[in-house]
Every structure is written in structure tokens, then in C-alpha cells.
Amino acid sequence: MNMRNFIPSKQPNLKAENEARKAKNAALHWVKDGPLLVIVTGPTGCGKSHLAQGSAVELLEEGKTAWYLSGAEFSQQVRSSEVNNFKNRVMTIPYLVLDEAYVTYDPSGYVQASVSEIMSHRYDQQLPSLMLGNILHEQGKTPEEKLSKILGQRLTSRVLGHDNGLLVSMWQCKDIRRNNE
């Protein structure tokens, strides 16, 4: 997958198309030295993983060192016996693309705490990170409450305050894999 074949006009209406276009532009801007932390959130099937993989491809095509991690891979690695080596690598890779790291079943809270620890470290070290997922789907809570649960209050405040962070919503977008039924 690449950014060229992420087509916002596949969305069923202008509002959704504009959100998809904004998300694509935010990801492309991030690749070209945009904000340190970009979080893209939206429903299943709207193209978040396409943007994640496309961003990683763009970085590699520009000769930058990047690591694309799916939520399943992230969760498996933080629970492995090699967790310290994994965290060290994830905390130091020049560009990190983290796709759905916070949707994994995590009754202990360890995976979520690891996401918060890693993202805070990367932000403090000025290492660019792109996170994607349906993070804001939980009903009855504000975006700040939902983000704080994953990133912690300090980093959430910076993202929502636009202090070198950006939150992009794709919640008007539809599941393009279902042909907009």
C-alpha cells in the first residue's frame, strides 16, 4: 500500500471525503518533518491502516529509517521475554508508525502503560511518531479522557493543545471495504 492509492473521494459524502483528505495530508506532512506526534482516529475500514502503511512506505522511499508496528505485533513484543530489547528499539527508531496498538485485550493495563511510556519517551526525545486506531470510539468520555487513558495526561495535553502534536478525526468516514452500504 502507498499514499498514492489512498483516495479520499471513495468516501460517500463530502464531509467524509474532506476528513479522509485531511488525514492523508496530515500523514504526508508528518512524513515530511511535520509534528512530532500525529494521532489519526476513526472507525473500522476507513483507511487508517492504509495511511499507516503508506506513511511507512513514503519514509522508506525517502531513505528514512522507520518501523511499522501493528497492534498485534506490539502487544506480542511487550509481553515477550525480550521486552527490554523491544522497548529500547521502539524508543530509538527514528520514525515509528504504530497501528492499532491500543485495541488489544489488555486486562492488566500493561500494554497501554507500555504505549504511554514509549510515546512519552519518543516525544521527549523529539522522535516522530504516527499512531492510528479507533481510540476515540469509547462512549461517554471526552477525547481528552480517552487519550489520557492511553498516552497519559501530559502527552495528551500537548497533543490536544497542538504543542507539536496533532489529532486528526476520520469519524465521518465510512468503511470503504463495504462499498459504503
Side-chain angles (χ1 to χ4, degrees):
M1 287 192 194
N2 61 45
M3 295 298 240
R4 289 174 290 287
N5 59 16
F6 180 86
I7 304 168
S9 62
K10 287 184 177 181
Q11 288 296 326
N13 60 58
L14 188 57
K15 194 170 197 173
E17 182 180 333
N18 286 338
E19 275 194 355
R21 186 171 287 110
K22 182 178 177 185
K24 180 178 182 178
N25 289 340
L28 285 169
H29 179 61
W30 176 77
V31 166
K32 305 283 186 202
D33 299 319
L36 277 181
L37 177 59
V38 173
I39 299 172
V40 178
T41 181
T44 300
C46 70
K48 297 179 308 292
S49 291
H50 188 140
L51 288 175
Q53 293 168 10
S55 295
V57 168
E58 292 282 327
L59 288 165
L60 296 173
E61 286 176 353
E62 289 189 13
K64 296 177 180 176
T65 303
W67 193 4
Y68 167 87
L69 273 170
S70 68
E73 184 180 2
F74 182 90
S75 180
Q76 179 182 14
Q77 291 291 329
V78 297
R79 291 182 173 130
S80 78
S81 61
E82 295 293 317
V83 64
N84 291 333
N85 291 336
F86 170 74
K87 282 185 175 181
N88 183 53
R89 183 169 177 218
V90 139
M91 287 181 171
T92 58
I93 193 91
Y95 288 84
L96 177 64
V97 179
L98 196 49
D99 191 9
E100 299 286 2
Y102 32 77
V103 297
T104 305
Y105 179 67
D106 184 27
S108 70
Y110 182 71
V111 174
Q112 299 306 316
S114 296
V115 169
S116 178
E117 172 191 7
I118 288 165
M119 288 302 164
S120 291
H121 176 86
R122 291 185 60 77
Y123 189 90
D124 290 345
Q125 297 301 310
Q126 304 284 294
L127 294 169
S129 304
L130 175 63
M131 289 181 66
L132 303 98
N134 42 17
I135 182 175
L136 299 182
H137 184 62
E138 193 176 344
Q139 297 295 319
K141 293 189 178 184
T142 67
E144 185 170 1
E145 289 171 320
K146 295 170 194 175
L147 277 176
S148 290
K149 190 174 167 182
I150 293 153
L151 298 176
Q153 274 188 316
R154 178 179 160 268
L155 193 51
T156 296
S157 174
R158 292 193 167 159
V159 170
L160 294 179
H162 304 294
D163 184 18
N164 213 1
L166 180 62
L167 175 64
V168 180
S169 172
M170 292 180 75
W171 283 100
Q172 297 298 315
C173 296
K174 304 297 180 208
D175 186 340
I176 55 177
R177 293 179 289 216
R178 293 180 174 221
N179 296 322
N180 300 311
E181 296 172 354

